[in-house]
Amino acid sequence: GQQVMQIPQYQHVQEGEDFTTYCNSSTTLSNIQWYKQRPGGHPVFLIQLVKSGEVKKQKRLTFQFGEAKKNSSLHITATQTTDVGTYFCAGVPTGGGNKLTFGTGTQLKVEL
Amino acid sequence: EPEVTQTPSHQVTQMGQEVILRCVPISNHLYFYWYRQILGQKVEFLVSFYNNEISEKSEIFDDQFSVERPDGSNFTLKIRSTKLEDSAMYFCASPVYARQGSNYGYTFGSGTRLTVV
């Protein structure tokens, strides 16, 4: 079945440093979504990318969807303590209905 | 922003007992989903429900699981005979629709933490 892997699994940064998480799917995706989950919380939708090579920005967050629509990345510029949490990508396979397959997640910790 | 409501927030049950988890998805949405997350792991798809029928289910969703819509607004996930490995957070989710009608992300409920002892 479809697998979605993320690296790194964990990342500790100093506040103000940049952070990037990478997401790779074993199959082509019709879209990729990103979610943030705070400790003890539920996944919160951040963004959806649909087009090959698409880049979207939300303030300090930059999201990319690969040309082959099998990989994606999330980059956070100048991290803040409020960025702490686990970031999951989640893909909908091409021709696969609406079922989301979540990535393995990257846990971000930000230290002052 | 529309909300997905789940009850209870925490359920402790003896192994072998039946549990029912409840969800009120975003109103007037025909699709909804159940996911689970074992502590410290990724979110896993269980089942999707469309227009009062199961539209897709994962390998996890075996005969011990069932999903129903007992009335117009509530959805339930039932686990007939719980096992220790069923301990997890269970989330229901509703798709969010963009103005043009296409799906744009999912709203997750705050989850039910199921502990099987």
Side-chain angles (χ1 to χ4, degrees), chain A residues 11-104:
Chain A
Q11 184 84 59
H12 289 203
V13 299
Q14 296 283 324
E15 190 177 42
E17 292 182 337
D18 292 356
F19 159 76
T20 304
T21 172
Y22 299 92
C23 171
N24 284 285
S25 170
S26 59
T27 59
T28 305
L29 303 170
S30 65
N31 70 70
I32 189 93
Q33 301 174 23
W34 284 91
Y35 291 80
K36 177 182 179 181
Q37 185 177 29
R38 292 183 183 275
H42 58 279
V44 175
F45 175 72
L46 296 176
I47 208 159
Q48 176 173 293
L49 304 169
V50 178
K51 299 176 184 175
S52 168
E54 188 171 11
V55 177
K56 286 189 177 180
K57 292 191 175 185
Q58 287 180 350
K59 297 182 181 178
R60 296 178 294 104
L61 278 61
T62 302
F63 304 85
Q64 285 189 309
F65 199 9
E67 295 289 341
K69 300 186 76 173
K70 293 181 71 174
N71 61 297
S72 181
S73 65
L74 158 59
H75 179 81
I76 302 178
T77 304
T79 53
Q80 300 173 358
T81 54
T82 52
D83 295 326
V84 164
T86 300
Y87 292 85
F88 291 98
C89 62
V92 177
T94 304
N98 288 316
K99 181 183 108 175
L100 268 182
T101 298
F102 276 76
T104 47

Side-chain angles (χ1 to χ4, degrees), chain B residues 21 31 33 46 48 53 70 80 87 94 96 99 105-106 109:
Chain B
L21 312 181
Y31 262 111
Y33 302 80
L46 288 178
S48 60
E53 288 185 355
R80 290 189 183 82
S87 295
S94 282
V96 177
R99 233 173 278 168
Y106 294 79

